[in-house]
Amino acid sequence: MTVMIRRLADGFAVLGGVILLIIVAVTTTNTSAFILDRIAGMFGRNVAGLPGYEDFVQLAISGVALMFFPYCQAQRGHVAVELFVDRLPQRMQRGLDRLWLILTAGIALFLAYWMVFGLLEARSDGAVTSVLGWPVWPFYSPGLASMILWALVAISQISGQISGAPQDA
């Protein structure tokens, strides 16, 4: 199961990277259209930008931003202050590490819990984007799944099933 969790975290990061590339491509296209429109304007012409560009970017980035958290946790890539902890005995370091992993898992599950309510509220309100008219609630799903996976990675690290403990680095 832990290998599956680790691969899932890797997969989320890769998918997040692909979505970021799409966001960059759409942004580049829209920016190019803006520049071309300025140039074409000198000749009495116009070049339209992408309709709903802002809607797409807003929805895509809201989900993709959280997709990197599980991978970052699996890599122990979060900020850690080790100025005085390095001087503590190994047993105490491991205890503090477990405490922070428990806290991290708890926070991730807490955020997932509230995201469920946000998703349900957006769905019941019929919230849609202003230009494209896309429903907002499905775009909660990647973030919700990411929070749950983030918690699973931290829980696996507590039990020592996923490597990446500070002493392993």
Side-chain angles (χ1 to χ4, degrees), residues 1-10 12 67-78 101-102 104-105 108-109 145-164:
M1 169 137 168
T2 57
V3 172
M4 183 179 77
I5 291 172
R6 180 59 185 251
R7 286 188 178 162
L8 204 52
D10 293 347
F12 264 58
M67 292 179 78
F68 296 102
F69 279 44
Y71 176 79
C72 190
Q73 181 66 46
Q75 296 295 323
R76 295 294 183 116
H78 296 290
L101 287 171
I102 291 167
T104 299
L109 290 174
S146 297
M147 292 295 100
I148 293 168
L149 182 57
W150 183 20
L152 288 174
V153 170
I155 291 166
S156 294
Q157 288 173 330
I158 292 167
S159 62
Q161 295 174 352
I162 289 183
S163 63

Side-chain angles (χ1 to χ4, degrees), residues 11-83:
F12 264 58
V14 169
L15 181 59
V18 169
I19 295 170
L20 278 179
L21 287 174
I22 293 168
I23 292 169
V24 168
V26 168
T27 301
T28 302
T29 302
N30 200 55
T31 303
S32 300
F34 175 77
I35 293 168
L36 290 174
D37 186 49
R38 295 291 179 196
I39 294 169
M42 294 186 289
F43 302 102
R45 305 273 187 212
N46 66 355
V47 175
L50 299 173
Y53 155 78
E54 296 88 355
D55 287 354
F56 167 74
V57 170
Q58 178 185 11
L59 291 174
I61 204 70
S62 68
V64 78
L66 300 175
M67 292 179 78
F68 296 102
F69 279 44
Y71 176 79
C72 190
Q73 181 66 46
Q75 296 295 323
R76 295 294 183 116
H78 296 290
V79 175
V81 179
E82 298 177 352
L83 296 174

Side-chain angles (χ1 to χ4, degrees), residues 82-137:
E82 298 177 352
L83 296 174
F84 72 94
V85 176
D86 281 344
R87 301 184 201 299
L88 296 175
Q90 282 291 324
R91 185 174 174 171
M92 192 173 257
Q93 287 181 28
R94 284 191 300 275
L96 282 172
D97 186 52
R98 285 183 189 268
L99 176 68
W100 283 115
L101 287 171
I102 291 167
L103 185 63
T104 299
I107 288 170
L109 290 174
F110 176 78
L111 292 172
Y113 174 79
W114 285 106
M115 284 183 79
V116 168
F117 288 110
L119 181 150
L120 294 174
E121 185 174 339
R123 186 171 180 209
S124 70
D125 289 347
V128 295
T129 60
S130 58
V131 177
L132 296 174
W134 289 354
V136 173
W137 70 267

